[in-house]
Amino acid sequence: MMSNSGVVGSRAFANNLTTKCFPKQLHFHSRTLVFSSYSCSATLSVESKVEEKQVFDGEKAALLVRELRNNFDTGKTKSYEWRISQLKAIAKMLEEKEKEIVDALNKDISKPPLEAFITEIFQAKSSCNEALQELKHWMKPEKVSTSITAYPSSAEIVSEPLGVVLVISTWNFPMLLSLDPVIGAISAGNTVVLKPSEVAPATSSLLANLLESYLDNSAVRVIEGAVPETTALLEQKWDKILYTGSARVGRIVMAAAAKHLTPVILELGGKCPAVVDSNVDLQVTARRIIAGKWACNSGQACISVDHIITRKDFAPKLINALKEELEIFFGKNPMESKDMSRIVSPMQFSRLVRLLDEDKVSDKIVLGGQRDEKKLKIAPTILLDVPEEAMVMQEEIFGPIMPIITVDNIEDSFSIIKSRPKPLAAYLFTNNEQLKKEYVDKISSGGMLINDAVIHVATRGLPFGGVEESGMGCYHGKFTFDSFSHKKSVLYKSFDADPSIRYPPYTPQKEKLLRAILGGNIFDIILALFGWSK
C-alpha cells in the first residue's frame, strides 16, 4: 500500500552504500536473525552467555537462502494445509498482540492508536482473512478451452509457488507493509525472508520476535538491519523481490535483481495530485483531503495528496474550508494534537524544513509553518502558488506540507500533471461527469480515486501498484497471490486419436485438409476430407 517513497529510506540506503556501518547486535533467536542498526560494532548472543563479534554478510545470506530453498524443495509449503496453518497463525498473532503492535508504532512514529489499528492492524487482518477464505479457490487450476488442432485434449493454468522470495519493507506503515506481502507470499506457497525497515526499530524488532514465535521458521525468516544487511541479501539469487520505498533505491534493487534475472515488484511513489473543481461539496472535499494528507501518517505516505490543483478564483474558498476543518480535526494548536503522527526522524524533519525555508517558498505560507525539532512535529502547512522550480514542487513531499497550484481553467491541470512522472495515485474532486471521464481517460497513474483520497487501497478487488517511476507490478488480495505465483500452462492429450495429417509426407490432400482445419471452416473441412475442392 503505502511506501516510504521515501525520502529517508532512499537517502539512508543510497548515501551509505560505501560506508562500513555495522549492526549493533546480532541475536540468534532460534532460526531468526535479528539486528539493530545503531552502532559500528557487533556482538553475538547465544542463550545470553556467549558474545562475539558478528556481521550478517553475503556468506551468511547465501547460507540462509540455501537453507530456505532446501526447505522449499521438500514441498511442504506447497500444501494447502501448511499455507492455511501459517495464515491462521498470523491472524492469531494480530489478535493477540494488538497492544504490542500499537505500542511499537507509537514508539516509531507516534502513530495515534486508532490510526494504527485502522491503517495497519485492521488492514493486515483483512488481507489475512481474505486469503483464508479464498485460498482454496485461488489454488484451484483454471480450466482453459483447447483448439481443434489439439483434439482430443484439455488444458489448465496451474498456480505454482515461485520458491524463495524477499520482501523489503518500509517505515511509514511498517507493520502492514511487512505483513501484507508476506501473507501473499505464504498464500502462494513460498518460503520468504522479510527485511523490515531499520527506521522503525521498535516495529522491526517486534516483527522479528512475533514471526519467530508464531510462524514456521524453516520457511519464514526475518532479517533486521540496515544497508550492510540489505546489501548482503540483494547479492543473493531470489525467485522474486518485492520492495517498497523510493525510486532511487528501487533502481538499486532492480540493478541487483537484474544480475540474476530476478523479477521484481517495486512499490515506489511520486507527487500524487488532487484536482479540485469548483462544483463540489466544499466541506466534504476539505475533510477528505485532510484525511488523505494530514490524518494519513502526517502526509508520510506514498499515496497521500502531495499537492492540490484548483481554479484561481476558487482557491480562497478551498483554503478557508481546509483551515476550518483542520481546526476541527486537530484543534487550534495542531502541534499539541495527539491525533497526528510525528515526523519519523531528525533527517526527515530537516529535509521538510528546508523545503519550507527555501527562497520564494517561505513567503507563500498561508497556513501553518510552525515546527518543533524536539518533538519532530510540523504543523499542517498550506502553500499557495509556489514557483514550479522550488524543491517542494520538484520532489515528493512526504510530509504535512500542501502546495496549492492555481489555474485559470480546471482542464489546465491535465497538462501540469502530464508534465511530471506518472504518480502512484491521482485524485479528482468534481460533480462534472464529463470531467471525470476525461480525467480517467487522459491521466495515467498507478491508481485513481474520484471524490476521495487514499481509500482506494483498501478495496481488495483492486490491484495496488505504480506505473513507470511510481513502480511496477502490483499486489493486494489475489493480486499478491498471483504476483508470487508462476502461472504454469498445462495441456493434457490422450492417445486415442493420432491423425497422420500432422506427419510427413505432406501430400497435397493433407495440405488441403490441414489448411481447412486451421481455417476453421467446416464446409472446407468436409470438402477436403472427400478430396474435393471449391
Side-chain angles (χ1 to χ4, degrees):
M1 177 177 136
M2 304 166 190
S3 80
N4 67 337
S5 294
V7 190
V8 166
S10 153
R11 289 179 177 172
F13 198 113
N15 294 347
N16 285 285
L17 282 176
T18 58
T19 67
K20 294 184 178 179
C21 182
F22 297 108
K24 183 178 180 181
Q25 288 187 322
L26 164 59
H27 305 286
F28 283 90
H29 296 299
S30 178
R31 292 173 176 162
T32 302
L33 298 173
V34 184
F35 296 88
S36 175
S37 60
Y38 295 97
S39 176
C40 290
S41 63
T43 56
L44 167 65
S45 171
V46 181
E47 296 181 353
S48 303
K49 293 180 180 179
V50 181
E51 292 190 357
E52 62 181 65
K53 291 184 177 180
Q54 285 286 338
V55 292
F56 183 80
D57 55 15
E59 182 179 351
K60 289 184 174 60
L63 287 172
L64 172 64
V65 174
R66 192 177 307 130
E67 182 182 346
L68 289 176
R69 195 169 298 283
N70 289 338
N71 293 336
F72 173 77
D73 288 341
T74 66
K76 74 171 182 176
T77 66
K78 294 183 179 181
S79 74
Y80 173 77
E81 291 74 19
W82 181 87
R83 304 184 202 194
I84 286 292
S85 71
Q86 299 305 294
L87 293 172
K88 287 181 177 178
I90 293 175
K92 182 181 180 183
M93 178 189 79
L94 289 168
E95 192 68 32
E96 294 179 345
K97 300 300 180 180
E98 180 179 317
K99 184 180 184 303
E100 288 89 336
I101 294 170
V102 169
D103 289 345
L105 293 169
N106 185 263
K107 287 178 184 177
D108 284 333
I109 202 167
S110 294
K111 189 167 287 193
L114 183 58
E115 184 180 336
F117 173 77
I118 293 173
T119 64
E120 305 236 28
I121 299 170
F122 175 77
Q123 291 298 326
K125 282 183 177 179
S126 175
S127 178
C128 197
N129 289 335
E130 181 185 13
L132 284 167
Q133 293 169 9
E134 300 293 335
L135 183 59
K136 189 166 287 187
H137 174 68
W138 292 349
M139 291 177 65
K140 188 176 180 181
E142 179 186 346
K143 295 298 182 182
V144 178
S145 61
T146 60
S147 67
I148 191 171
T149 56
Y151 180 84
S153 65
S154 62
E156 63 185 12
I157 300 171
V158 176
S159 295
E160 64 178 14
L162 294 171
V164 186
V165 301
L166 172 64
V167 174
I168 304 175
S169 187
T170 185
W171 56 262
N172 55 342
F173 292 84
M175 185 60 62
L176 174 65
L177 296 183
S178 294
L179 290 181
D180 204 344
V182 168
I183 288 167
I186 289 173
S187 299
N190 299 281
T191 58
V192 56
V193 172
L194 168 65
K195 166 59 182 68
S197 172
E198 72 280 7
V199 183
T203 307
S204 177
S205 177
L206 182 64
L207 276 165
N209 290 326
L210 291 183
L211 294 193
E212 180 194 14
S213 300
Y214 281 84
L215 298 186
D216 179 357
N217 298 156
S218 70
V220 182
R221 303 287 183 86
V222 178
I223 301 295
E224 289 192 87
V227 176
E229 293 74 32
T230 307
T231 302
L233 290 170
L234 286 174
E235 289 172 354
Q236 311 312 311
K237 175 173 174 51
W238 303 90
D239 294 298
K240 196 150 200 175
I241 298 173
L242 186 149
Y243 165 75
T244 302
S246 69
R248 183 185 302 179
V249 181
R251 290 181 172 89
I252 296 171
V253 172
M254 194 169 181
K259 295 177 182 178
H260 302 287
L261 294 179
T262 299
V264 296
I265 301 173
L266 301 179
E267 297 300 340
L268 308 177
K271 294 186 71 63
C272 301
V275 175
V276 181
D277 198 5
S278 56
N279 64 343
V280 295
D281 184 317
L282 193 51
Q283 184 185 38
V284 172
T285 297
R287 292 170 69 88
R288 290 178 179 178
I289 289 175
I290 293 169
K293 177 69 169 183
W294 295 285
C296 183
N297 213 21
S298 200
Q300 298 172 107
C302 60
I303 54 169
S304 71
V305 179
D306 181 272
H307 58 281
I308 294 170
I309 308 175
T310 192
R311 281 173 45 181
K312 189 169 296 185
D313 57 355
F314 185 68
K317 295 179 182 178
L318 178 59
I319 292 170
N320 285 334
L322 289 169
K323 285 180 180 179
E324 292 173 5
E325 296 302 320
L326 280 167
E327 185 171 328
I328 293 171
F329 279 33
F330 305 115
K332 292 183 181 294
N333 184 5
M335 299 289 283
E336 299 300 323
S337 174
K338 295 180 180 179
D339 294 319
M340 271 191 70
S341 303
R342 64 167 171 83
I343 307 306
V344 69
S345 69
M347 183 172 70
Q348 183 78 310
F349 179 89
S350 298
R351 182 189 65 84
L352 291 167
V353 168
R354 284 197 301 273
L355 296 183
L356 286 176
D357 291 345
E358 186 184 7
D359 290 343
K360 298 182 180 180
V361 172
S362 57
D363 61 346
K364 301 293 185 180
I365 297 174
V366 295
L367 177 71
Q370 301 92 343
R371 71 286 302 261
D372 187 328
E373 188 172 1
K374 289 183 179 179
K375 294 182 179 179
L376 293 179
K377 282 206 166 186
I378 296 175
T381 301
I382 297 177
L383 310 172
L384 181 61
D385 282 332
V386 296
E388 177 64 26
E389 65 273 14
M391 287 189 297
V392 76
M393 294 309 302
Q394 294 299 312
E395 64 180 60
E396 184 179 11
I397 295 170
F398 221 70
I401 303 168
M402 178 79 85
I404 295 180
I405 303 167
T406 62
V407 292
D408 294 327
N409 300 298
I410 204 67
E411 289 79 10
D412 296 339
S413 62
F414 289 24
S415 59
I416 294 174
I417 297 170
K418 293 170 74 173
S419 69
R420 298 193 175 104
K422 296 178 181 180
L424 186 57
Y427 306 112
L428 170 67
F429 292 83
T430 185
N431 278 317
N432 186 322
E433 295 300 322
Q434 182 60 31
L435 184 61
K436 292 177 187 178
K437 185 175 182 297
E438 290 180 5
Y439 197 72
V440 172
D441 183 55
K442 295 180 180 179
I443 299 300
S444 180
S445 59
M448 187 170 285
L449 181 53
I450 309 298
N451 291 334
D452 211 328
V454 171
I455 63 167
H456 63 295
V457 301
T459 304
R460 289 284 156 183
L462 294 175
F464 174 73
V467 56
E468 293 184 356
E469 288 196 27
S470 59
M472 64 177 64
C474 64
Y475 73 119
H476 280 194
K478 186 176 186 297
F479 297 100
T480 319
F481 175 88
D482 290 340
S483 292
F484 284 113
S485 299
H486 167 60
K487 300 300 182 181
K488 181 168 63 179
S489 59
V490 182
L491 181 71
Y492 298 93
K493 193 84 161 61
S494 76
F495 291 109
D496 292 343
D498 191 40
S500 61
I501 186 175
R502 61 182 288 196
Y503 304 121
Y506 300 120
T507 64
Q509 185 176 1
K510 283 184 178 181
E511 181 180 351
K512 285 181 181 179
L513 181 56
L514 190 58
R515 285 181 178 274
I517 292 172
L518 293 177
N521 187 309
I522 189 65
F523 181 68
D524 288 345
I525 293 173
I526 293 172
L527 290 177
L529 285 171
F530 285 97
W532 298 336
S533 59
K534 289 182 180 179

